[in-house]
Amino acid sequence: QVQLVESGGGSVQAGGSLRLSCAYSGRTFRFYAIGWFRRAPGNDREFVAAIGRSGESPVYADSVRGRFTISRDNSKSTAYLQMNNLKPEDTAVYYCGFHRGVPEPIRTTADQYDSWGRGTQVTVSS
């Protein structure tokens, strides 16, 4: 079973930056796209960004495009989410998960991902 561990969250003022990491281990992790999702209190899990198996074809939610950058390094078994110019509406628990199967284009709904980590809290104050 694939295991994912998110880290790098914290509290930051609006306009600040954080870099989230998603360390993964287990079978065939490099065969799957990875997605970042977030869940604000009382909300459903929301798509943030995803990246292909070898780092190709990154996709972003409109709300974060131009501010966040997703990347991955399979040699280090880690995916990243660089978050710049953070806004209070970015406050949420951030999760990473693996895409189910190998569809193209990359899907952007949470039901297409599994093997979620436990999440890391990001809090942005105004």
Side-chain angles (χ1 to χ4, degrees):
Q1 183 177 355
V2 175
Q3 298 178 358
L4 303 176
V5 179
E6 301 93 341
S7 63
S11 297
V12 65
Q13 294 287 325
S17 298
L18 289 170
R19 188 193 193 200
L20 307 184
S21 296
C22 172
Y24 45 89
S25 62
R27 59 173 177 80
T28 63
F29 61 86
R30 64 186 64 191
F31 293 169
Y32 301 98
I34 290 177
W36 284 97
F37 289 74
R38 64 189 182 187
R39 185 179 183 273
N43 291 356
D44 293 331
R45 193 167 294 187
E46 175 190 16
F47 174 75
V48 176
I51 193 166
R53 297 181 295 278
S54 300
E56 76 279 13
S57 304
V59 294
Y60 298 93
D62 290 343
S63 59
V64 307
R65 187 175 295 108
R67 299 188 297 120
F68 292 8
T69 302
I70 187 171
S71 61
R72 71 188 293 174
D73 186 342
N74 287 332
S75 70
K76 298 179 179 179
S77 299
T78 305
Y80 306 95
L81 186 68
Q82 179 65 47
M83 309 164 67
N84 296 329
N85 192 23
L86 284 160
K87 302 177 179 180
E89 51 263 45
D90 296 320
T91 295
V93 178
Y94 283 71
Y95 302 88
C96 58
F98 283 110
H99 203 295
R100 299 181 185 271
V102 290
E104 293 185 2
I106 295 172
R107 309 291 175 84
T108 59
T109 55
D111 63 356
Q112 299 300 313
Y113 293 78
D114 61 12
S115 301
W116 303 103
R118 297 177 67 181
T120 185
Q121 176 71 49
V122 171
T123 302
V124 185
S125 59
S126 60

